[in-house]
Amino acid sequence: MQYDVWAVSPESDDDYFFASGTASGTLSLLANDLGYNGTGYQVSITSDGADADKTFTVTGVKVGAVGYDGVVTESVTGPSATVVYSTNYYTRVDSVAISATSTGNVKVGYGGDLAFPRTRIKGVYFVSNGASGSVVFTAKPSDTTILKLAVASGTLSQDMIIPGEGILTTKSKNGDFAIMTLTNVTNATVVCG
């Protein structure tokens, strides 16, 4: 039997949606689609000024949602010379607006853990920094660990093949998703099907 198989590696880009500049009103986004095959990340908002008194309103499609149920609007308190992240993981961002003109230069991008919709994990390849660590897949919103790969100290890379049908990332409920968290792992590629 033939399966559709695809691969994804975690990444981040702090100015993917909005390049550094003063922000005001609804921002002109440079891009909208974020995730490959429904994967996604948290939206990151960075400011070099004191913008903690501003609210950023993010509207987009959450990872794991189906149809119009997936479009959500979230309020994110602005950063003060740092970066903050949305609570939701988005596969597409439709708009970002700020409640008042920013004090500093603002960038809007994405980062954090990689989120997966309903799929099957078929294999994982990772590169570590040599320290002990882990690659952990956690089902959300239940916070159930569905796969934990321990990385032994001194391990620089490893290819994990998962037999058979793979490991399902979610139940069949709308809104379920899974995140992959890397500890002392510098890069990973996940094969899904």
Side-chain angles (χ1 to χ4, degrees):
M1 180 176 269
Q2 182 69 27
Y3 294 97
D4 289 334
V5 177
W6 50 277
V8 63
S9 296
E11 57 186 19
S12 63
D13 186 339
D14 67 357
D15 63 359
Y16 181 77
F17 298 112
F18 184 77
S20 185
T22 303
S24 179
T26 301
L27 308 181
S28 291
L29 301 183
L30 300 170
N32 295 95
D33 289 326
L34 180 55
Y36 179 72
N37 280 345
T39 60
Y41 298 90
Q42 293 170 295
V43 172
S44 66
I45 302 167
T46 308
S47 175
D48 63 9
D51 287 310
D53 60 340
K54 314 293 187 307
T55 300
F56 288 80
T57 303
V58 178
T59 302
V61 177
K62 292 185 345 179
V63 172
V66 177
Y68 292 105
D69 292 337
V71 177
V72 297
T73 298
E74 175 182 358
S75 295
V76 180
T77 301
S80 187
T82 188
V83 62
V84 295
Y85 290 91
S86 64
T87 300
N88 291 316
Y89 290 79
Y90 293 90
T91 190
R92 187 183 80 223
V93 173
D94 297 324
S95 68
V96 177
I98 184 172
S99 59
T101 302
S102 64
T103 304
N105 288 321
V106 170
K107 297 186 283 188
V108 181
Y110 65 90
D113 297 327
L114 174 59
F116 292 83
R118 183 176 175 86
T119 189
R120 290 186 181 274
I121 301 166
K122 306 291 265 178
V124 180
Y125 171 78
F126 61 85
V127 178
S128 78
N129 62 10
S132 61
S134 62
V135 178
V136 179
F137 293 85
T138 306
K140 296 291 186 174
S142 67
D143 284 331
T144 303
T145 300
I146 55 177
L147 176 63
K148 181 175 183 178
L149 304 172
V151 180
S153 179
T155 303
L156 297 179
S157 67
Q158 192 156 355
D159 191 6
M160 305 296 295
I161 301 297
I162 299 164
E165 294 296 314
I167 297 173
L168 189 60
T169 57
T170 69
K171 297 180 179 178
S172 59
K173 296 186 333 188
N174 188 18
D176 284 358
F177 63 101
I179 60 168
M180 179 178 69
T181 305
L182 305 177
T183 303
N184 291 329
V185 171
T186 56
N187 193 15
T189 299
V190 181
V191 178
C192 301

